[in-house]
Amino acid sequence: MDVRIWFNRIWPARVHLIPMLRDNPDHARVQVYGTHPDPAAPALTACDVVEPEPGEDEAFFDFAIDFCQRHDIDVIMPSSRLVALADRAEAFSAVDTRVMCAPAETLRAVTDKSRMYAAAERSRVPVAPWRAVSDADGLRKAVQEFAGTDSALCVKPAGEYSAYGFRLLDDSPLKVSDFERLPRPTASVSAVADALQHAQDRGETVPELIVMPYLDPPEVSVDCLSDTAGTLVSAIARAKSGRVRTLVDDPDVMELARLAVGHFRLAYLSNVQFRYWKGQPVLLEVNARAAAGIYQTRMTGVNLVWAAVRMLLCGDPGEVPRPMLGGRLAVVEDAIPLSDTVIPDSRARERTPPPSPVGAPEANRTLSP
């Protein structure tokens, strides 16, 4: 059968998922649709059909429903606007499109780090000490509270900003030897406090920040596949060290990932990250979507990405083999040729009728060719 999959605001890293979707164990024919506000976005060149998408939320959802209807999209694999898409999941279901995401309440809980850490503390998932601050006085107080921990401190936005807002708090002066190594994302306590105070004085909205100890490496990123109840089906842990990734078999980390996925009721593809505090793994971050590096898991012989698509459409992931762990790999840059982006005719396209009748239960759909 044909499966039509749409990546909205497609990231460059999503290019690596496309071969995993096409080379699937069910031998389904996959057609990939990509949209982005920038019609010259490089990732679009890997898609079968591309269109520009509106940048504004108000215009996007009218566009999205129309896009799904015109192209008979089976699955949306969101790259952005996850919460808003989850809020409108029923509207997409009405046009026979499934959105691969957890419930909206789950997404709201995990995209706010202060809410996420507080929720984790109510479970059995360990969390390092942390403080939420939103003004200069709060920042200085938090730094003073952590003064006796003998650990470097860091600050990061509580919202979903990837790693862009992360800074190590470092008041030491610049040294000549610093020019002989790669720069680190550092800021002094006074610089961060001044930024918060200036924003407050100008009446700007000040985002909540998290202050916490800088946790010990390695960072272990666990790519998870789970059902809609948060029951873990498969998980693969990647320990990061520079450009090297080790596909680790760590029962303690896997158990914590299982607890986190169940506690937050994560669904389909998610990613749970850990680092170490006083020698023990602690929760760093929860992403209710596929991580940028999930393509690395294909080295284990497991196609988590396709298993999630099958679970969404059919109600089960198919046969998911036990991952082959212990391997090491290097993450390197690659280059892909760019062609002129061709924007297709926006008129409706004809499509071969689906193999199952309209209105048939999703669990009865088949992915047999």
Side-chain angles (χ1 to χ4, degrees), residues 14 78 82-83 86 100-111 116 160 224 226 261 264-273 285-291:
R14 289 294 186 252
L82 268 74
V83 175
M100 185 179 289
C101 64
E105 58 270 22
T106 292
L107 295 168
R108 290 189 174 90
V110 302
T111 53
M116 183 264 290
E160 189 181 28
C224 301
S226 57
V261 169
F264 289 105
R265 294 179 64 86
L266 299 171
Y268 307 112
L269 295 175
S270 60
N271 178 261
V272 187
Q273 299 171 17
E285 191 159 334
V286 174
N287 294 305
R289 53 167 172 75

Side-chain angles (χ1 to χ4, degrees), residues 25-318:
D26 291 296
H27 306 291
R29 294 180 297 275
V30 173
Q31 191 164 25
V32 176
Y33 293 71
T35 61
H36 198 281
D38 178 5
L44 293 173
T45 196
C47 302
D48 299 309
V49 178
V50 302
E51 285 189 22
E53 70 174 66
E56 305 79 18
D57 285 349
E58 297 77 10
F60 172 78
F61 290 101
D62 287 339
F63 162 82
I65 292 293
D66 177 67
F67 185 88
C68 291
Q69 287 180 307
R70 284 189 287 113
H71 297 293
D72 278 341
I73 298 297
D74 296 300
V75 175
I76 305 174
M77 296 186 71
S79 298
S80 67
R81 295 187 171 104
L82 268 74
V83 175
L85 284 165
D87 280 336
R88 294 165 172 81
E90 290 186 2
F92 289 102
S93 181
V95 297
D96 206 26
T97 299
R98 302 292 177 261
V99 182
M100 185 179 289
C101 64
E105 58 270 22
T106 292
L107 295 168
R108 290 189 174 90
V110 302
T111 53
D112 183 313
K113 291 184 180 66
S114 58
R115 289 182 62 185
M116 183 264 290
Y117 285 150
E121 288 178 336
R122 295 191 293 269
S123 70
R124 291 181 290 160
V125 181
V127 179
W130 60 281
R131 298 290 183 272
V133 304
S134 56
D135 56 36
D137 290 340
L139 174 77
R140 295 189 184 97
K141 181 180 178 182
V143 170
Q144 187 61 39
E145 285 185 56
F146 287 128
T149 62
D150 296 324
S151 297
L153 300 181
C154 63
V155 62
K156 56 188 177 181
E160 189 181 28
Y161 295 93
S162 186
Y164 297 133
F166 172 84
R167 296 291 186 276
L168 285 165
L169 293 174
D170 187 356
D171 290 325
S172 60
L174 184 69
K175 303 183 293 293
V176 171
S177 60
D178 291 332
F179 294 102
E180 300 173 358
R181 58 178 65 92
L182 289 173
R184 305 172 75 199
T186 61
S188 67
V189 173
S190 59
V192 177
D194 287 347
L196 292 173
Q197 188 63 56
H198 290 160
Q200 188 174 21
D201 292 343
R202 291 193 296 267
E204 297 176 4
T205 299
V206 179
E208 187 176 64
L209 302 176
I210 301 293
V211 178
M212 63 188 301
Y214 180 60
L215 303 176
D216 296 328
E219 181 178 314
V220 181
S221 181
V222 186
D223 297 300
C224 301
L225 171 69
S226 57
D227 63 19
T228 55
T231 302
L232 192 66
V233 174
S234 183
I236 300 169
R238 298 176 283 119
K240 303 178 181 180
S241 178
R243 290 184 178 273
V244 175
R245 305 288 183 267
T246 303
L247 302 165
V248 296
D249 185 2
D250 187 329
D252 293 337
V253 166
M254 299 300 281
E255 174 61 13
L256 294 180
R258 185 189 67 80
L259 290 173
V261 169
H263 180 72
F264 289 105
R265 294 179 64 86
L266 299 171
Y268 307 112
L269 295 175
S270 60
N271 178 261
V272 187
Q273 299 171 17
F274 300 91
R275 285 179 77 101
Y276 289 81
W277 169 247
K278 297 184 177 180
Q280 299 299 315
V282 293
L283 184 65
L284 177 65
E285 191 159 334
V286 174
N287 294 305
R289 53 167 172 75
I294 192 173
Y295 69 93
Q296 298 158 21
T297 61
R298 64 188 178 188
M299 303 286 287
T300 68
V302 178
N303 192 332
L304 291 177
V305 179
W306 179 254
V309 170
R310 181 185 171 105
M311 180 178 287
L312 182 64
L313 292 177
C314 304
D316 74 87

Side-chain angles (χ1 to χ4, degrees), residues 3-46:
V3 179
R4 299 192 171 197
I5 298 176
W6 173 29
F7 292 95
N8 72 306
R9 202 179 188 98
I10 185 168
W11 304 344
R14 289 294 186 252
V15 169
H16 299 298
L17 273 60
I18 294 174
M20 299 177 73
L21 293 168
R22 289 182 173 144
D23 186 20
N24 62 79
D26 291 296
H27 306 291
R29 294 180 297 275
V30 173
Q31 191 164 25
V32 176
Y33 293 71
T35 61
H36 198 281
D38 178 5
L44 293 173
T45 196

